[in-house]
Amino acid sequence: QVQLVESGGGLVQAGGSLRLSCAASGLTFRSYAMGWFRQVPGKEREFLATISVRGGDTYYADSVKGRFTVSLDNAKNTVYLQMNSLKPEDTAVYYCAAERTLWRVVSPDYWGQGTQVTVSS
């Protein structure tokens, strides 16, 4: 059974930083691309970043490029999202995702349960 478990969300002031973690189990980690998305009530889920586990190639949405960094710890089957210079508009539920591809996450096969990030002004 595949599980993606996010952690690290919380409340932070504008300009601050948070690091989200997503621990994956039940899948062959190196056969997947991993990604991060976010969603606010009433809006569609928004793509943020993706990383190929095998090659480490990364790709970011323009809205977070230069502020967010996605990275891996292959030994721990864990993907991270380092978020810097946070803004109130970054407030959302953040989701980890996995897709069985060597490239980038486009249509995830699996989702985590989500973790809330709230940025106060």
Side-chain angles (χ1 to χ4, degrees), residues 15-75:
S17 298
L18 279 176
R19 189 178 78 157
L20 306 183
S21 301
C22 172
S25 61
L27 53 74
T28 305
F29 198 55
R30 288 180 60 81
S31 297
Y32 283 77
M34 303 297 294
W36 289 95
F37 294 72
R38 68 186 178 191
Q39 189 170 23
V40 297
K43 293 190 175 182
E44 291 188 357
R45 197 165 291 189
E46 176 191 12
F47 164 80
L48 300 177
T50 182
I51 185 166
S52 66
V53 176
R54 185 170 296 187
D57 297 325
T58 58
Y59 181 77
Y60 297 91
D62 288 342
S63 59
V64 303
K65 196 176 297 182
R67 298 190 300 126
F68 291 10
T69 302
V70 60
S71 62
L72 293 167
D73 185 334
N74 283 308

Side-chain angles (χ1 to χ4, degrees), residues 39-121:
Q39 189 170 23
V40 297
K43 293 190 175 182
E44 291 188 357
R45 197 165 291 189
E46 176 191 12
F47 164 80
L48 300 177
T50 182
I51 185 166
S52 66
V53 176
R54 185 170 296 187
D57 297 325
T58 58
Y59 181 77
Y60 297 91
D62 288 342
S63 59
V64 303
K65 196 176 297 182
R67 298 190 300 126
F68 291 10
T69 302
V70 60
S71 62
L72 293 167
D73 185 334
N74 283 308
K76 297 181 179 180
N77 281 13
T78 298
V79 60
Y80 303 97
L81 185 68
Q82 177 68 42
M83 305 186 294
N84 298 327
S85 302
L86 283 163
K87 308 173 183 179
E89 52 264 42
D90 292 318
T91 295
V93 177
Y94 283 67
Y95 295 91
C96 174
E99 182 174 345
R100 190 178 175 88
T101 175
L102 299 182
W103 190 43
R104 61 177 69 162
V105 175
V106 175
S107 181
D109 296 310
Y110 303 102
W111 293 96
Q113 83 286 356
T115 185
Q116 176 71 45
V117 171
T118 303
V119 184
S120 63
S121 57

